[in-house]
Amino acid sequence: MTLTTQFLTMAVMIAGGIYLGAAMDTLKRFEKLYRKRMLMNYTIVISFWLLQAFILFFLLYQANYGELRLYIFLSVLCGYAAYRALFQGIYTRILERMIRMIMAMVRFFLRCFEILIVKPIIVIWNVASAIVLWVSSTLLAGSILMLRVLWWPVRLILRLLWKLLPENMKNYLHTLAGFYVTIKNRIINLSKLWKR
């Protein structure tokens, strides 16, 4: 391996160490979202470290075709230490600002979705249901009025027929009506006894 390749490998691995420190801080920042769920916690942490190992090995492969030497591990450690000493405060501030910006954008888009889509649907639903209720109540009131208008001549005809009926027929109908009322009262009393 030439000296240039070794120098390039060290520079890439130092950058990889800086990246590893930033990735660890990012993971730690979102740790409260998954920490209480044990299975999710293990899955995310194992996946994170496998991904970091893959990324560091990919960088190493690009630099020197994947040859491992002791100075490579020292370079990653130096990069991580440089990140902790020099870049951690800056990166965490940038990360917090980015999270706040993304959360503000998400809230903005959710608010726009609510104002432009959800609220108009609710208003349309309320207006449509009010129209349906108004139309149905108007039709019901019109139907009742029409039945009253139609019932008035029928009632007059029935009263006229009642006056024209002979007296013995009227007495028979009164008796029949009394019999019907007696049966109805007995059925009501039996149903009350049955419920007890």
Side-chain angles (χ1 to χ4, degrees):
M1 193 176 345
T2 64
L3 193 61
T4 308
T5 306
Q6 289 180 4
F7 180 74
L8 178 65
T9 304
M10 283 182 65
V12 167
M13 288 296 103
I14 288 172
I18 293 171
Y19 158 76
L20 185 62
M24 286 172 63
D25 278 346
T26 306
L27 180 71
K28 192 179 289 184
R29 170 61 179 82
F30 295 106
E31 189 176 30
K32 61 184 175 186
L33 298 176
Y34 61 86
R35 187 72 171 163
K36 293 180 182 175
R37 298 178 182 146
M38 190 68 69
L39 182 63
M40 188 181 232
N41 184 21
Y42 285 132
T43 305
I44 288 175
V45 170
I46 291 170
S47 302
F48 172 79
W49 285 110
L50 287 175
L51 178 66
Q52 301 319 309
F54 173 76
I55 289 171
L56 287 177
F57 186 75
F58 179 76
L59 291 174
L60 181 66
Y61 185 79
Q62 294 297 318
N64 70 356
Y65 299 108
E67 289 183 29
L68 281 174
R69 304 279 166 90
L70 179 63
Y71 69 87
I72 291 171
F73 295 107
L74 293 175
S75 299
V76 172
L77 189 62
C78 286
Y80 180 73
Y83 167 78
R84 287 300 234 198
L86 303 173
F87 304 117
Q88 185 177 20
I90 297 169
Y91 177 74
T92 51
R93 283 195 296 273
I94 292 171
L95 181 65
E96 288 298 325
R97 284 183 186 163
M98 285 178 60
I99 290 171
R100 281 198 298 272
M101 278 179 19
I102 291 170
M103 292 302 291
M105 286 173 58
V106 166
R107 281 194 296 270
F108 172 74
F109 284 120
L110 286 175
R111 186 76 178 135
C112 287
F113 178 76
E114 181 183 351
I115 290 171
L116 297 176
I117 294 173
V118 174
K119 284 193 176 177
I121 289 173
I122 291 171
V123 168
I124 290 169
W125 175 260
N126 289 338
V127 168
S129 59
I131 289 171
V132 167
L133 283 174
W134 179 78
V135 168
S136 60
S137 63
T138 305
L139 287 175
L140 183 63
S143 302
I144 291 171
L145 181 64
M146 188 182 298
L147 285 174
R148 283 185 179 172
V149 168
L150 291 175
W151 175 247
W152 186 74
V154 171
R155 192 174 69 176
L156 286 177
I157 293 169
L158 288 175
R159 280 186 181 174
L160 182 63
L161 287 174
W162 181 259
K163 287 181 182 178
L164 293 175
L165 280 175
E167 244 353 274
N168 59 356
M169 186 67 143
K170 287 180 184 178
N171 290 335
Y172 175 72
L173 289 175
H174 278 298
T175 308
L176 191 63
F179 180 69
Y180 168 72
V181 170
T182 306
I183 291 175
K184 180 180 169 187
N185 289 337
R186 286 189 181 169
I187 290 173
I188 289 171
N189 290 336
L190 284 173
S191 65
K192 285 180 182 176
L193 287 172
W194 183 261
K195 285 179 183 176
R196 288 180 188 171

